[in-house]
């Protein structure tokens, strides 16, 4: 599959993983503590490491983790693993984060998500939250032989390429494509207004073109709708209404539904296919797709951030928010100096 498990720092990550219950279908690390970023995150010496743990049985996993790492949890720990799992699954984007944890001498943040909820998000983009993380280079630390999960991970990457194609012109560079892909899960994210550096997407992509190429190169070479000139780092795609309709029809279900809601006039109740055919002929097709993405990401990111106050606790939430604002302030100073 296209996801790459890079070897660097593998031992350090696995040592951290050893502090947690073993029943994981997928574990990965991501962010500026794993991959070099430009801008205010470029000095990574003491960067917080971000992890996501995917588990088949969240109640059983949290029960074991509460015994091993009771102090990682907020006040919700006294309510037990079932309540924690209910909060995890039913609020926000289906992920439960414990931030600002010292583990093996490193400052880490880790999120826990159910395997079934992750698969659904990868295929349908219900939240485009963890699915969005997995559209960018990540360090895979552990993955079991769940064929459905592996297939969904690959489908998520293909969907990211398709959505990016719809928002790009007929001819563009690899960097243009990777910037479009990396920006999908930030479309409408309110944290890009408060708490995140505005040049975050560029800072993610520019130092990591090689890693994006490893992630997407095989998909691009096999895609019949693109001419991929690898040596020149250029791509050409079919922007005809027919080509765009084909791409729109392969988008994840939730994005198709959001596009239908945006374009369908009140009382008309057209089916999704009819709406997508209209969008394929629209000169503003890319902007409609972008609005559809924002309609998914904005509420998802707001709900998840609100949920963080309860899962992290008030004190940690304030500290974590201040760190984000400090990073944004550093980026602004760097840009104006």
């Amino acid at each position: 599959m296209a996801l790459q498990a890079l070897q660097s720092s593998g031992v350090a990550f696995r040592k951290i993983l050893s502090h947690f219950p073993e029943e994981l279908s997928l574990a990965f690390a991501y962010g500026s503590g794993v991959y070099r970023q430009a801008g205010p995150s470029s000095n990574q010496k003491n960067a917080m490491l971000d992890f996501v743990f995917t588990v088949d049985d969240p109640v059983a996993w949290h029960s074991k983790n509460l015994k091993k790492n009771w102090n990682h949890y907020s006040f919700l720990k006294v309510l037990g693993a079932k309540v924690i799992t209910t909060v995890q699954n039913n609020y926000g984007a289906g992920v439960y984060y414990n931030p600002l944890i010292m583990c093996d001498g490193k400052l880490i943040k880790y999120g826990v998500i159910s395997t079934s909820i992750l698969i659904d998000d990868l295929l349908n983009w219900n939240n485009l939250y963890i699915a969005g993380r997995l559209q960018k280079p990540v360090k895979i630390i552990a993955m079991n032989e769940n064929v459905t999960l592996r297939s969904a991970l690959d489908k998520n990457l293909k969907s990211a390429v398709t959505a990016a194609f719809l928002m790009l012109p007929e001819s563009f560079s690899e960097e243009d494509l990777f910037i479009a892909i990396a920006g999908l899960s930030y479309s409408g994210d309110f944290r890009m207004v408060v708490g995140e550096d505005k040049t975050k997407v560029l800072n993610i992509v520019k130092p990591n073109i090689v890693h994006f190429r490893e992630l997407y190169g095989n998909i691009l070479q096999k895609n019949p709708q693109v001419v991929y000139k690898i040596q020149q780092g250029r791509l050409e795609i079919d922007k005809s209404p027919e080509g765009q309709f084909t791409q729109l029809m392969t988008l994840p279900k939730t994005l198709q539904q959001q596009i239908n809601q945006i374009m369908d006039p009140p009382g008309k109740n057209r089916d999704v296919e009819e709406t997508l055919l209209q969008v394929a002929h629209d000169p503003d097709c890319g902007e409609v797709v972008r609005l559809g993405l924002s309609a998914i990401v904005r509420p998802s990111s707001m709900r998840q951030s609100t949920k963080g106050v309860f899962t992290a606790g008030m004190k940690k939430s304030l500290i974590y928010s201040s760190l984000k604002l400090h990073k944004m302030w550093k980026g602004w100073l760097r840009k104006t100096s």
Side-chain angles (χ1 to χ4, degrees):
M1 64 182 298
L3 284 164
Q4 300 295 317
L6 305 180
Q7 297 304 310
S8 60
S9 305
V11 173
F13 291 139
R14 285 194 292 275
K15 279 184 72 178
I16 289 171
L17 208 60
S18 70
H19 291 268
F20 297 93
E22 294 180 356
E23 295 81 2
L24 302 172
S25 57
L26 173 68
F28 66 89
Y30 65 94
S32 59
V34 181
Y35 289 98
R36 187 171 67 85
Q37 292 185 13
S41 300
S42 56
N43 180 14
Q44 297 174 23
K45 192 174 181 182
N46 299 308
M48 183 164 62
L49 296 173
D50 298 308
F51 295 87
V52 168
F53 303 149
T54 306
V55 301
D56 291 342
D57 186 342
V59 175
W61 194 90
H62 282 297
S63 295
K64 292 180 180 179
N65 199 42
L66 283 166
K67 290 176 183 174
K68 293 187 77 164
N69 300 302
W70 174 263
N71 62 324
H72 289 189
Y73 290 83
S74 70
F75 68 93
L76 291 175
K77 61 191 170 190
V78 300
L79 302 176
K82 286 185 178 179
V83 171
I84 288 170
T85 299
T86 298
V87 172
Q88 173 184 308
N89 289 346
N90 298 338
Y91 300 95
V95 59
Y96 189 105
Y97 271 105
N98 284 326
L100 302 174
I101 306 296
M102 286 304 299
C103 185
D104 213 47
K106 302 281 188 182
L107 185 65
I108 73 166
K109 174 182 79 176
Y110 66 93
V112 183
I113 187 169
S114 154
T115 305
S116 60
I117 288 175
L118 176 59
I119 289 171
D120 201 21
D121 195 29
L122 291 166
L123 295 176
N124 298 313
W125 290 6
N126 301 326
N127 298 299
L128 200 52
Y129 200 82
I130 301 303
R133 298 276 184 271
L134 286 160
Q135 290 165 358
K136 296 173 271 289
V138 300
K139 165 70 178 173
I140 303 291
I141 311 163
M143 182 157 53
N144 68 13
E145 295 303 314
N146 186 325
V147 176
T148 306
L149 175 58
R150 286 173 179 257
S151 174
L153 288 164
D154 204 42
K155 178 68 167 62
N156 180 48
L157 297 179
K158 291 174 180 174
S159 296
V161 168
T162 301
F165 280 176
L166 286 160
M167 295 188 291
L168 287 164
E170 190 172 1
S171 177
F172 49 89
S173 68
E174 275 183 323
E175 185 176 286
D176 293 333
L177 173 64
F178 299 148
I179 288 169
I181 289 172
L184 295 175
S185 61
Y186 293 116
S187 301
D189 190 336
F190 87 103
R191 293 171 303 168
M192 298 302 285
V193 179
V194 179
E196 291 285 8
D197 179 19
K198 305 299 183 299
T199 58
K200 185 178 181 74
V201 174
L202 279 174
N203 294 340
I204 290 170
V205 173
K206 282 187 174 294
N208 293 298
I209 294 289
V210 171
H211 298 311
F212 274 93
R213 198 177 290 137
E214 288 172 345
L215 199 55
Y216 289 101
N218 193 43
I219 290 171
L220 293 170
Q221 288 178 58
K222 290 182 178 179
N223 190 314
Q225 290 192 303
V226 63
V227 177
Y228 184 22
K229 301 174 182 176
I230 300 173
Q231 299 302 320
Q232 297 100 309
R234 302 287 305 177
L235 302 97
E236 295 174 5
I237 53 174
D238 179 5
K239 296 298 285 185
S240 69
E242 294 77 17
Q244 293 196 139
F245 180 63
T246 300
Q247 292 164 0
L248 287 161
M249 286 297 291
T250 62
L251 288 175
K253 181 179 68 176
T254 304
L255 180 52
Q256 289 181 339
Q257 290 170 343
Q258 291 294 346
I259 291 170
N260 190 43
Q261 286 182 25
I262 291 164
M263 297 299 291
D264 192 21
K268 190 130 186 211
N269 295 322
R270 291 181 303 186
D271 64 32
V272 172
E273 186 172 341
E274 186 182 349
T275 299
L276 296 181
L277 184 59
Q278 177 198 342
V279 173
H281 286 80
D282 192 325
D284 294 323
C285 174
E287 185 57 31
V288 174
V289 172
R290 189 174 283 107
L291 289 171
L293 288 164
S294 295
I296 296 170
V297 173
R298 185 180 296 110
S300 167
S301 64
M302 290 185 74
R303 289 193 304 265
Q304 185 63 37
S305 293
T306 304
K307 170 179 165 180
V309 175
F310 298 96
T311 60
M314 186 61 73
K315 183 180 176 181
K316 279 188 179 179
S317 293
L318 289 171
I319 294 170
Y320 186 69
S321 297
S322 70
L323 290 172
K324 286 286 187 183
L325 288 168
H326 178 65
K327 188 190 289 188
M328 184 177 74
W329 178 249
K330 278 171 65 180
W332 183 82
L333 288 175
R334 188 184 294 246
K335 198 159 57 174
T336 56
S337 60

